[in-house]
Amino acid sequence: MNAQNLPKQPDFAFPKKVKAEAIADYKKAMLDNDGDRIVNSLVAYELSVASIDRDSVSQPLKLIAETATATDASTSAILNILLGDIYSDIYTSARYKYDRRELPENDAPEDFLLWSGDQFKLKISSLIDSALTSPDALKATKLTKYPRSIKTDSQTLAFYPTLYDFVATKAIKLLNRLSPMQHDFSINLLCRYDFYTKLSFNYQDPVARRILDLYRDLLVFHENDAAPFIITDINRINFISSNIFQDGDTEPQESKRTDLLYALYDRYKSSPYSGEALIELERPEPTDSTATEKYFKTLSAYASAHAGYFRVNCIKNSLATITTPYIELSFPRTIVPGTKMKITVKAFNTPKYELQVYKVPYSSHSAKVNGRTPMKRLNR
């Protein structure tokens, strides 16, 4: 009798329950041809299996792949990019192990745990291709059509309004994972959007070429849509800037990046979303009065014109950093007795200040207590 009242040990009952519910919901969603519920149920199914044993996800992965071939273009794209995301997580979790294997790329075994790094990359790349097979259908599909499977809010939707934005952005993220090394672009590639969209990308690295193409497609697609165009161009500028071939001097690319962000802001300054370009700006060096004045005036004008923007406080914080009084002192920590000590003072937003210098007596015969010179009273 007492044994029946003993507390049960924790087990995997909850994930198993979720798994059963997910499969039941999946079957009903397929009958109803409800793409959003299909994706949501498959995500729940994969998570429930992975929470029990990450190495046992081959069954849900197989079902997701089969479903991707039996649904409409939009749902299929989401499922393929979902598969790419899952395989990417598996690969990067033990990348060092998979990359050490040398196997034929086109002869991958059924068990993905036996794949090489190149086989993972080929699989993920092919899933990205499949997800982007029907770009027109994705561009015509609002992201709000999938509220269960893709969680977002009104502010995010302004920047990523369509399913194409979601899939293309996910694809860029996955492609970046496949190529962690720097691409070493020419600084000429760091150009304004209207020149960039007319370029042809002839890089040997297919991953870099694909990312650049996707950014161009997104810019052309959103040419007349402020928020998505702005966020895409910011991401494009940052991606190229972080992959410029460097010979030790980063000033040229930093200067070009700043100019491009200002140009992006100028094009859309009537839109509150233009503030995103200003938020991305690096604060100028206080010694550069010309750059600091431009930065201050531009951010001040934006804060005044778009006081209701949900990220305007980021602009206000940036303004505060360049109006706060600031003093910087530099001096040698060690000096030879009898020589003069030079103190350099840099003061910003501080028209009046007082510097107190104390004379510390020096004696080579100072009495020492336990190996230390005792503190002495300082005379100003």
Side-chain angles (χ1 to χ4, degrees), residues 212-233:
L212 295 172
D213 281 336
L214 283 170
Y215 277 128
R216 176 173 53 196
D217 291 346
L218 284 165
L219 288 173
V220 173
F221 174 42
H222 289 301
E223 187 176 6
N224 298 314
D225 304 318
F229 186 96
I230 289 169
I231 199 67
T232 298
D233 206 32

PDB file of all heavy atoms in Angstrom, residues 212-233:
ATOM      1  N   LEU A 212      25.971  36.981 -51.593  1.00  0.00           N
ATOM      2  CA  LEU A 212      25.917  38.280 -52.275  1.00  0.00           C
ATOM      3  C   LEU A 212      24.702  38.358 -53.198  1.00  0.00           C
ATOM      4  O   LEU A 212      24.043  39.409 -53.299  1.00  0.00           O
ATOM      5  CB  LEU A 212      27.204  38.500 -53.066  1.00  0.00           C
ATOM      6  CG  LEU A 212      28.495  38.620 -52.233  1.00  0.00           C
ATOM      7  CD1 LEU A 212      29.710  38.641 -53.144  1.00  0.00           C
ATOM      8  CD2 LEU A 212      28.466  39.861 -51.358  1.00  0.00           C
ATOM      9  N   ASP A 213      24.396  37.271 -53.881  1.00  0.00           N
ATOM     10  CA  ASP A 213      23.228  37.230 -54.765  1.00  0.00           C
ATOM     11  C   ASP A 213      21.928  37.397 -53.977  1.00  0.00           C
ATOM     12  O   ASP A 213      21.003  38.097 -54.419  1.00  0.00           O
ATOM     13  CB  ASP A 213      23.190  35.912 -55.538  1.00  0.00           C
ATOM     14  CG  ASP A 213      24.152  35.898 -56.725  1.00  0.00           C
ATOM     15  OD1 ASP A 213      24.477  36.998 -57.218  1.00  0.00           O
ATOM     16  OD2 ASP A 213      24.574  34.804 -57.137  1.00  0.00           O
ATOM     17  N   LEU A 214      21.847  36.758 -52.824  1.00  0.00           N
ATOM     18  CA  LEU A 214      20.634  36.846 -52.010  1.00  0.00           C
ATOM     19  C   LEU A 214      20.423  38.272 -51.502  1.00  0.00           C
ATOM     20  O   LEU A 214      19.291  38.771 -51.495  1.00  0.00           O
ATOM     21  CB  LEU A 214      20.701  35.866 -50.838  1.00  0.00           C
ATOM     22  CG  LEU A 214      20.435  34.395 -51.191  1.00  0.00           C
ATOM     23  CD1 LEU A 214      20.766  33.483 -50.012  1.00  0.00           C
ATOM     24  CD2 LEU A 214      18.986  34.197 -51.621  1.00  0.00           C
ATOM     25  N   TYR A 215      21.496  38.930 -51.087  1.00  0.00           N
ATOM     26  CA  TYR A 215      21.359  40.326 -50.657  1.00  0.00           C
ATOM     27  C   TYR A 215      20.889  41.198 -51.815  1.00  0.00           C
ATOM     28  O   TYR A 215      20.041  42.095 -51.629  1.00  0.00           O
ATOM     29  CB  TYR A 215      22.691  40.850 -50.111  1.00  0.00           C
ATOM     30  CG  TYR A 215      22.942  40.485 -48.665  1.00  0.00           C
ATOM     31  CD1 TYR A 215      24.128  39.880 -48.269  1.00  0.00           C
ATOM     32  CD2 TYR A 215      21.989  40.756 -47.684  1.00  0.00           C
ATOM     33  CE1 TYR A 215      24.360  39.551 -46.940  1.00  0.00           C
ATOM     34  CE2 TYR A 215      22.213  40.427 -46.354  1.00  0.00           C
ATOM     35  CZ  TYR A 215      23.400  39.820 -45.989  1.00  0.00           C
ATOM     36  OH  TYR A 215      23.625  39.490 -44.667  1.00  0.00           O
ATOM     37  N   ARG A 216      21.406  40.963 -53.003  1.00  0.00           N
ATOM     38  CA  ARG A 216      20.970  41.747 -54.162  1.00  0.00           C
ATOM     39  C   ARG A 216      19.496  41.504 -54.456  1.00  0.00           C
ATOM     40  O   ARG A 216      18.738  42.448 -54.700  1.00  0.00           O
ATOM     41  CB  ARG A 216      21.813  41.389 -55.387  1.00  0.00           C
ATOM     42  CG  ARG A 216      21.329  42.114 -56.652  1.00  0.00           C
ATOM     43  CD  ARG A 216      22.271  41.897 -57.817  1.00  0.00           C
ATOM     44  NE  ARG A 216      22.526  40.484 -58.058  1.00  0.00           N
ATOM     45  CZ  ARG A 216      23.534  40.038 -58.811  1.00  0.00           C
ATOM     46  NH1 ARG A 216      24.372  40.899 -59.350  1.00  0.00           N
ATOM     47  NH2 ARG A 216      23.710  38.752 -59.008  1.00  0.00           N
ATOM     48  N   ASP A 217      19.069  40.236 -54.437  1.00  0.00           N
ATOM     49  CA  ASP A 217      17.666  39.928 -54.705  1.00  0.00           C
ATOM     50  C   ASP A 217      16.741  40.606 -53.693  1.00  0.00           C
ATOM     51  O   ASP A 217      15.677  41.121 -54.057  1.00  0.00           O
ATOM     52  CB  ASP A 217      17.450  38.413 -54.661  1.00  0.00           C
ATOM     53  CG  ASP A 217      18.124  37.701 -55.821  1.00  0.00           C
ATOM     54  OD1 ASP A 217      18.514  38.385 -56.790  1.00  0.00           O
ATOM     55  OD2 ASP A 217      18.287  36.461 -55.751  1.00  0.00           O
ATOM     56  N   LEU A 218      17.139  40.612 -52.436  1.00  0.00           N
ATOM     57  CA  LEU A 218      16.317  41.241 -51.401  1.00  0.00           C
ATOM     58  C   LEU A 218      16.245  42.752 -51.596  1.00  0.00           C
ATOM     59  O   LEU A 218      15.181  43.363 -51.418  1.00  0.00           O
ATOM     60  CB  LEU A 218      16.886  40.916 -50.012  1.00  0.00           C
ATOM     61  CG  LEU A 218      16.612  39.504 -49.491  1.00  0.00           C
ATOM     62  CD1 LEU A 218      17.508  39.187 -48.298  1.00  0.00           C
ATOM     63  CD2 LEU A 218      15.142  39.338 -49.108  1.00  0.00           C
ATOM     64  N   LEU A 219      17.353  43.372 -51.984  1.00  0.00           N
ATOM     65  CA  LEU A 219      17.357  44.816 -52.208  1.00  0.00           C
ATOM     66  C   LEU A 219      16.471  45.199 -53.390  1.00  0.00           C
ATOM     67  O   LEU A 219      15.719  46.178 -53.330  1.00  0.00           O
ATOM     68  CB  LEU A 219      18.788  45.310 -52.447  1.00  0.00           C
ATOM     69  CG  LEU A 219      19.719  45.326 -51.225  1.00  0.00           C
ATOM     70  CD1 LEU A 219      21.144  45.667 -51.646  1.00  0.00           C
ATOM     71  CD2 LEU A 219      19.225  46.315 -50.190  1.00  0.00           C
ATOM     72  N   VAL A 220      16.562  44.443 -54.463  1.00  0.00           N
ATOM     73  CA  VAL A 220      15.721  44.716 -55.638  1.00  0.00           C
ATOM     74  C   VAL A 220      14.247  44.496 -55.301  1.00  0.00           C
ATOM     75  O   VAL A 220      13.384  45.292 -55.689  1.00  0.00           O
ATOM     76  CB  VAL A 220      16.151  43.818 -56.820  1.00  0.00           C
ATOM     77  CG1 VAL A 220      15.177  43.959 -57.982  1.00  0.00           C
ATOM     78  CG2 VAL A 220      17.564  44.178 -57.272  1.00  0.00           C
ATOM     79  N   PHE A 221      13.954  43.448 -54.576  1.00  0.00           N
ATOM     80  CA  PHE A 221      12.584  43.117 -54.187  1.00  0.00           C
ATOM     81  C   PHE A 221      11.958  44.222 -53.342  1.00  0.00           C
ATOM     82  O   PHE A 221      10.793  44.568 -53.499  1.00  0.00           O
ATOM     83  CB  PHE A 221      12.583  41.786 -53.430  1.00  0.00           C
ATOM     84  CG  PHE A 221      11.256  41.390 -52.853  1.00  0.00           C
ATOM     85  CD1 PHE A 221      10.070  41.539 -53.565  1.00  0.00           C
ATOM     86  CD2 PHE A 221      11.194  40.837 -51.579  1.00  0.00           C
ATOM     87  CE1 PHE A 221       8.846  41.152 -53.026  1.00  0.00           C
ATOM     88  CE2 PHE A 221       9.980  40.449 -51.029  1.00  0.00           C
ATOM     89  CZ  PHE A 221       8.802  40.611 -51.752  1.00  0.00           C
ATOM     90  N   HIS A 222      12.751  44.827 -52.444  1.00  0.00           N
ATOM     91  CA  HIS A 222      12.214  45.818 -51.503  1.00  0.00           C
ATOM     92  C   HIS A 222      12.647  47.244 -51.841  1.00  0.00           C
ATOM     93  O   HIS A 222      12.721  48.096 -50.955  1.00  0.00           O
ATOM     94  CB  HIS A 222      12.659  45.476 -50.080  1.00  0.00           C
ATOM     95  CG  HIS A 222      12.003  44.259 -49.517  1.00  0.00           C
ATOM     96  ND1 HIS A 222      10.634  44.142 -49.388  1.00  0.00           N
ATOM     97  CD2 HIS A 222      12.534  43.095 -49.049  1.00  0.00           C
ATOM     98  CE1 HIS A 222      10.341  42.970 -48.843  1.00  0.00           C
ATOM     99  NE2 HIS A 222      11.462  42.316 -48.645  1.00  0.00           N
ATOM    100  N   GLU A 223      12.889  47.490 -53.104  1.00  0.00           N
ATOM    101  CA  GLU A 223      13.381  48.809 -53.506  1.00  0.00           C
ATOM    102  C   GLU A 223      12.486  49.946 -53.033  1.00  0.00           C
ATOM    103  O   GLU A 223      12.960  51.040 -52.723  1.00  0.00           O
ATOM    104  CB  GLU A 223      13.520  48.862 -55.032  1.00  0.00           C
ATOM    105  CG  GLU A 223      14.173  50.127 -55.537  1.00  0.00           C
ATOM    106  CD  GLU A 223      14.389  50.105 -57.036  1.00  0.00           C
ATOM    107  OE1 GLU A 223      13.913  49.152 -57.685  1.00  0.00           O
ATOM    108  OE2 GLU A 223      15.023  51.026 -57.553  1.00  0.00           O
ATOM    109  N   ASN A 224      11.202  49.711 -52.954  1.00  0.00           N
ATOM    110  CA  ASN A 224      10.260  50.763 -52.559  1.00  0.00           C
ATOM    111  C   ASN A 224       9.649  50.526 -51.174  1.00  0.00           C
ATOM    112  O   ASN A 224       8.630  51.134 -50.839  1.00  0.00           O
ATOM    113  CB  ASN A 224       9.139  50.861 -53.606  1.00  0.00           C
ATOM    114  CG  ASN A 224       9.661  51.233 -54.977  1.00  0.00           C
ATOM    115  OD1 ASN A 224      10.470  52.152 -55.112  1.00  0.00           O
ATOM    116  ND2 ASN A 224       9.226  50.507 -55.998  1.00  0.00           N
ATOM    117  N   ASP A 225      10.268  49.668 -50.381  1.00  0.00           N
ATOM    118  CA  ASP A 225       9.777  49.370 -49.036  1.00  0.00           C
ATOM    119  C   ASP A 225      10.856  49.749 -48.028  1.00  0.00           C
ATOM    120  O   ASP A 225      11.877  49.065 -47.917  1.00  0.00           O
ATOM    121  CB  ASP A 225       9.435  47.881 -48.896  1.00  0.00           C
ATOM    122  CG  ASP A 225       8.431  47.424 -49.945  1.00  0.00           C
ATOM    123  OD1 ASP A 225       7.474  48.180 -50.195  1.00  0.00           O
ATOM    124  OD2 ASP A 225       8.608  46.324 -50.495  1.00  0.00           O
ATOM    125  N   ALA A 226      10.629  50.832 -47.294  1.00  0.00           N
ATOM    126  CA  ALA A 226      11.675  51.403 -46.439  1.00  0.00           C
ATOM    127  C   ALA A 226      12.261  50.415 -45.435  1.00  0.00           C
ATOM    128  O   ALA A 226      13.465  50.158 -45.449  1.00  0.00           O
ATOM    129  CB  ALA A 226      11.121  52.628 -45.700  1.00  0.00           C
ATOM    130  N   ALA A 227      11.424  49.871 -44.553  1.00  0.00           N
ATOM    131  CA  ALA A 227      11.953  49.047 -43.455  1.00  0.00           C
ATOM    132  C   ALA A 227      12.732  47.825 -43.940  1.00  0.00           C
ATOM    133  O   ALA A 227      13.882  47.623 -43.524  1.00  0.00           O
ATOM    134  CB  ALA A 227      10.820  48.637 -42.515  1.00  0.00           C
ATOM    135  N   PRO A 228      12.155  46.959 -44.803  1.00  0.00           N
ATOM    136  CA  PRO A 228      12.930  45.791 -45.238  1.00  0.00           C
ATOM    137  C   PRO A 228      14.156  46.145 -46.068  1.00  0.00           C
ATOM    138  O   PRO A 228      15.180  45.457 -45.990  1.00  0.00           O
ATOM    139  CB  PRO A 228      11.922  44.969 -46.060  1.00  0.00           C
ATOM    140  CG  PRO A 228      10.811  45.892 -46.381  1.00  0.00           C
ATOM    141  CD  PRO A 228      10.773  46.912 -45.308  1.00  0.00           C
ATOM    142  N   PHE A 229      14.075  47.225 -46.857  1.00  0.00           N
ATOM    143  CA  PHE A 229      15.243  47.642 -47.636  1.00  0.00           C
ATOM    144  C   PHE A 229      16.363  48.078 -46.701  1.00  0.00           C
ATOM    145  O   PHE A 229      17.531  47.694 -46.877  1.00  0.00           O
ATOM    146  CB  PHE A 229      14.880  48.791 -48.582  1.00  0.00           C
ATOM    147  CG  PHE A 229      15.992  49.177 -49.528  1.00  0.00           C
ATOM    148  CD1 PHE A 229      16.029  48.673 -50.810  1.00  0.00           C
ATOM    149  CD2 PHE A 229      17.015  50.031 -49.114  1.00  0.00           C
ATOM    150  CE1 PHE A 229      17.070  49.012 -51.684  1.00  0.00           C
ATOM    151  CE2 PHE A 229      18.052  50.374 -49.966  1.00  0.00           C
ATOM    152  CZ  PHE A 229      18.084  49.865 -51.254  1.00  0.00           C
ATOM    153  N   ILE A 230      16.020  48.871 -45.699  1.00  0.00           N
ATOM    154  CA  ILE A 230      17.020  49.395 -44.762  1.00  0.00           C
ATOM    155  C   ILE A 230      17.715  48.266 -44.006  1.00  0.00           C
ATOM    156  O   ILE A 230      18.948  48.221 -43.918  1.00  0.00           O
ATOM    157  CB  ILE A 230      16.366  50.389 -43.779  1.00  0.00           C
ATOM    158  CG1 ILE A 230      16.000  51.681 -44.513  1.00  0.00           C
ATOM    159  CG2 ILE A 230      17.294  50.690 -42.603  1.00  0.00           C
ATOM    160  CD1 ILE A 230      15.120  52.621 -43.721  1.00  0.00           C
ATOM    161  N   ILE A 231      16.949  47.326 -43.468  1.00  0.00           N
ATOM    162  CA  ILE A 231      17.565  46.253 -42.684  1.00  0.00           C
ATOM    163  C   ILE A 231      18.425  45.353 -43.571  1.00  0.00           C
ATOM    164  O   ILE A 231      19.481  44.876 -43.164  1.00  0.00           O
ATOM    165  CB  ILE A 231      16.492  45.439 -41.927  1.00  0.00           C
ATOM    166  CG1 ILE A 231      17.132  44.658 -40.773  1.00  0.00           C
ATOM    167  CG2 ILE A 231      15.748  44.511 -42.839  1.00  0.00           C
ATOM    168  CD1 ILE A 231      17.675  45.516 -39.674  1.00  0.00           C
ATOM    169  N   THR A 232      17.968  45.140 -44.810  1.00  0.00           N
ATOM    170  CA  THR A 232      18.755  44.316 -45.742  1.00  0.00           C
ATOM    171  C   THR A 232      20.060  44.999 -46.100  1.00  0.00           C
ATOM    172  O   THR A 232      21.126  44.366 -46.127  1.00  0.00           O
ATOM    173  CB  THR A 232      17.956  44.032 -47.027  1.00  0.00           C
ATOM    174  OG1 THR A 232      16.770  43.296 -46.692  1.00  0.00           O
ATOM    175  CG2 THR A 232      18.778  43.225 -48.016  1.00  0.00           C
ATOM    176  N   ASP A 233      20.006  46.307 -46.370  1.00  0.00           N
ATOM    177  CA  ASP A 233      21.226  47.007 -46.766  1.00  0.00           C
ATOM    178  C   ASP A 233      22.206  47.109 -45.596  1.00  0.00           C
ATOM    179  O   ASP A 233      23.415  47.013 -45.789  1.00  0.00           O
ATOM    180  CB  ASP A 233      20.897  48.398 -47.298  1.00  0.00           C
ATOM    181  CG  ASP A 233      21.958  48.903 -48.269  1.00  0.00           C
ATOM    182  OD1 ASP A 233      22.557  48.070 -48.977  1.00  0.00           O
ATOM    183  OD2 ASP A 233      22.193  50.126 -48.312  1.00  0.00           O
TER     184      ASP A 233
END
